[in-house]
Amino acid sequence: MNEIKAPKGTRDIFAPEIQKWHYLENAIHTYYKKFLYQEIRTPIFEHSELFSRGIGSETEVVQKEMYTFTDKSDRSLTLRPENTASVVRAAIENNIFETLAPLRFYYIGPMFRYDKPQKGRYRQFQQFGIEVFADDSPQVDAEVIFAAVDFLKKLGIEAMQLDLNSVGCPQCRPGYLQVLRKAARTEESRLCADCRRKIDGNPLRIFDCKLPACAEIAGSLPLISDHLCGECRDHFATVRETLSWMNVSFQLNPRMVRGLDYYTKTAFEITSGQLGAQNALLGGGRYNNLIKELGGPDMAGIGFAAGMERIILHLQHLEVPQAKILFVAYQDPQWLAHAIQLAQVLREEGFPVYLDYQGKNLKKQFKKADRVAAAFTLILAEDEIKNGSVSIKNMATQEQIKISLKELNEWLKKNY
Ligand code: HAM
């Protein structure tokens, strides 16, 4: 029989790496609550239309990377490739605009993209992200960016670069797209077939093409930064000024347009020098039309999402402190009931406790205690049972003492 393997581009995660995931997840829950973000959990799959309308039908994600399937009732469903569209859909559907304040959400969860797997790039990957609705203040943009940079710094990630751009709004973007189309047409014969198609659809997407020839042409195409309307220019200037007050350094990158169509005004990306080809740690921006386009009120939005596998790659050397394990051993199976009860009491007190039900003799149980890396083994033998005591073996030093069960709690408080 053929061995069944995990699908390409997916990963199994277990100890010790899982400890880093718990550490990261706890850090996210703690950090973002300080800015009043509330967790939101949305379904893993949605109606496909949400993403084609929300993300944009010309994007790589929608064109090439979606896991779309038809269910038994002939509905087209898609495993979410990102979560912004889902959060917006959930807010509209549940009308939380009226009931929740402030409108700030964070999420942690798996996303799915049919991408070519490589280091740091998976087909099922984990993102965390934040979204803020109903506030178009440029200071919010700066605060969102600060909450990305500062969080990564607090995890110990220093070697990163923040790229910043403004991608305009419905006032200035159409004019810019005309100029861009015209310029792209003059280079049409040198562009790849995909990019040629983008000229009429959304020429901004030419900037996403990874082919060297197209990237070279993109390098000389007109830039949105030279075509922003007054409002976008002022907004962007205040974002930059506020970032400087917050001590956040950035690099202006007028060619960074992000791969999703919903962005307006501020767009940003954080890359890491430590990651190789898949160096984007995090990306985001403003999406002031998305909520309205998906049927909600005319309300601004901004957020970002980060690739958690890529953050974990930066936490290689992190030693997450683990609670010490207590191992309860019994000299003879007749003392098993006492051992079980002692384990129960200790777990009630909050200690991680293991006992080996198959432990035929103490020697075998000590071996097991070593395998689970127990800090102390608590031994129950005839003598201990008779006297209401317990022997405690320090597994590192091999020292052993005997104390009364009544003193155990006190002893653990001092020595654990
Ligand atoms: P995105 O740039 O498509 O933005 O993805 C955000 C991050 O997810 C990337 O910077 C990267 O770290 C990670 N990522 C993307 N694809 C993969 C993959 N195949 N394997 C591993 N990691 C990956 C969004 O998803 C937007 N929803 C962000 C946003 C939120 N914009 C506004 N609000």
Side-chain angles (χ1 to χ4, degrees):
M1 216 175 16
N2 283 342
E3 190 188 343
I4 301 174
K5 297 208 163 141
K8 197 172 164 187
T10 66
R11 299 181 67 228
D12 302 305
I13 307 171
F14 29 80
E17 186 187 318
I18 198 74
Q19 289 152 10
K20 296 191 168 64
W21 284 87
H22 291 164
Y23 174 84
L24 176 57
E25 285 157 12
N26 287 336
I28 295 164
H29 289 296
T30 309
Y31 185 85
Y32 289 96
K33 282 183 186 139
K34 288 197 278 191
F35 295 79
L36 268 67
Y37 289 93
Q38 306 188 52
E39 190 182 358
I40 180 167
R41 298 186 190 189
T42 60
I44 302 283
F45 57 90
E46 298 269 4
H47 290 289
S48 304
E49 195 194 345
L50 173 69
F51 302 117
S52 49
R53 268 175 56 193
I55 300 173
S57 52
E58 287 294 322
T59 57
E60 295 268 306
V61 170
V62 170
Q63 290 266 322
K64 300 182 184 159
E65 296 174 1
M66 296 219 295
Y67 276 93
T68 297
F69 58 97
T70 309
D71 76 359
K72 291 189 197 306
S73 305
D74 234 19
R75 295 182 193 95
S76 177
L77 300 171
T78 294
L79 299 183
R80 60 183 188 190
E82 62 105 50
N83 210 24
T84 309
S86 303
V87 173
V88 170
R89 196 263 318 131
I92 298 170
E93 187 169 340
N94 297 284
N95 200 18
I96 53 181
F97 305 112
E98 306 282 318
T99 53
L100 286 180
L103 290 165
R104 290 181 160 218
F105 307 98
Y106 76 93
Y107 49 83
I108 303 174
M111 308 295 153
F112 305 83
R113 295 185 192 178
Y114 190 81
D115 220 333
K116 208 169 169 194
Q118 60 183 86
K119 187 182 170 203
R121 185 158 79 191
Y122 305 98
R123 290 182 173 169
Q124 174 173 337
F125 59 98
Q126 201 81 8
Q127 276 187 347
F128 84 86
I130 65 174
E131 313 290 348
V132 181
F133 296 161
D135 196 339
D136 189 34
S137 328
Q139 290 81 7
V140 169
D141 303 39
E143 192 201 86
V144 164
I145 294 171
F146 172 83
V149 173
D150 184 54
F151 179 73
L152 295 176
K153 275 193 187 156
K154 289 206 159 64
L155 290 178
I157 303 174
E158 289 289 344
M160 55 179 158
Q161 178 177 313
L162 167 64
D163 281 35
L164 193 63
N165 193 19
S166 172
V167 294
C169 71
Q171 293 304 315
C172 48
R173 183 108 49 90
Y176 166 65
L177 291 183
Q178 287 305 331
V179 176
L180 185 59
R181 252 184 214 114
K182 209 167 147 204
R185 276 214 184 89
T186 64
E187 302 285 359
E188 192 162 352
S189 59
R190 291 170 58 216
L191 288 169
C192 72
D194 253 8
C195 286
R196 281 204 293 273
R197 207 175 28 77
K198 291 171 182 171
I199 297 179
D200 284 324
N202 183 356
L204 261 193
R205 299 276 68 93
I206 296 173
F207 289 105
D208 302 335
C209 187
K210 303 282 181 305
L211 294 176
C214 296
E216 194 200 316
I217 295 166
S220 59
L221 290 175
L223 300 172
I224 180 77
S225 46
D226 298 323
H227 296 267
L228 293 178
C229 61
E231 195 198 315
C232 283
R233 258 203 315 271
D234 291 349
H235 191 276
F236 195 39
T238 311
V239 173
R240 294 187 322 250
E241 186 186 29
T242 315
L243 282 173
S244 69
W245 297 344
M246 293 170 159
N247 236 339
V248 175
S249 40
F250 55 85
Q251 180 167 301
L252 291 178
N253 181 352
R255 285 190 182 79
M256 196 265 301
V257 293
R258 307 273 304 126
L260 313 163
D261 275 356
Y262 49 61
Y263 292 111
T264 55
K265 294 185 178 169
T266 311
F268 59 95
E269 231 162 59
I270 296 179
T271 49
S272 154
Q274 272 174 262
L275 282 178
Q278 299 307 311
N279 63 356
L281 272 179
L282 169 162
R286 226 173 225 297
Y287 46 88
N288 284 355
N289 297 315
L290 182 63
I291 301 175
K292 196 167 105 197
E293 268 164 24
L294 291 177
D298 189 1
M299 189 181 265
I302 180 167
F304 71 75
M308 293 171 70
E309 283 80 4
R310 297 180 189 183
I311 294 179
I312 294 286
L313 284 171
H314 282 83
L315 304 181
Q316 295 291 15
H317 303 296
L318 176 83
E319 289 291 337
V320 184
Q322 293 301 303
K324 291 178 194 165
I325 294 162
L326 303 181
F327 191 98
V328 175
Y330 45 96
Q331 185 203 31
D332 185 280
Q334 64 174 309
W335 313 123
L336 184 57
H338 292 267
I340 289 174
Q341 284 161 4
L342 178 59
Q344 280 177 331
V345 171
L346 290 168
R347 288 195 189 107
E348 280 295 317
E349 294 293 329
F351 297 105
V353 184
Y354 190 78
L355 79 169
D356 181 13
Y357 298 109
Q358 300 179 74
K360 297 212 169 52
N361 56 47
L362 270 181
K363 202 171 155 207
K364 283 200 171 136
Q365 292 177 61
F366 280 133
K367 259 198 180 153
K368 199 56 165 280
D370 276 332
R371 288 207 60 197
V372 301
F376 299 103
T377 299
L378 281 61
I379 308 149
L380 296 174
E382 188 165 7
D383 203 32
E384 282 83 355
I385 301 290
K386 273 198 193 134
N387 304 327
S389 61
V390 60
S391 292
I392 304 173
K393 183 173 179 181
N394 181 322
M395 300 303 283
T397 63
Q398 299 289 307
E399 279 165 338
Q400 192 165 318
I401 55 153
K402 194 190 274 188
I403 58 168
S404 96
L405 275 173
K406 284 197 195 100
E407 293 164 330
L408 180 56
N409 225 337
E410 226 18 65
W411 187 91
L412 283 169
K413 266 189 207 145
K414 275 194 207 127
N415 298 282
Y416 177 75

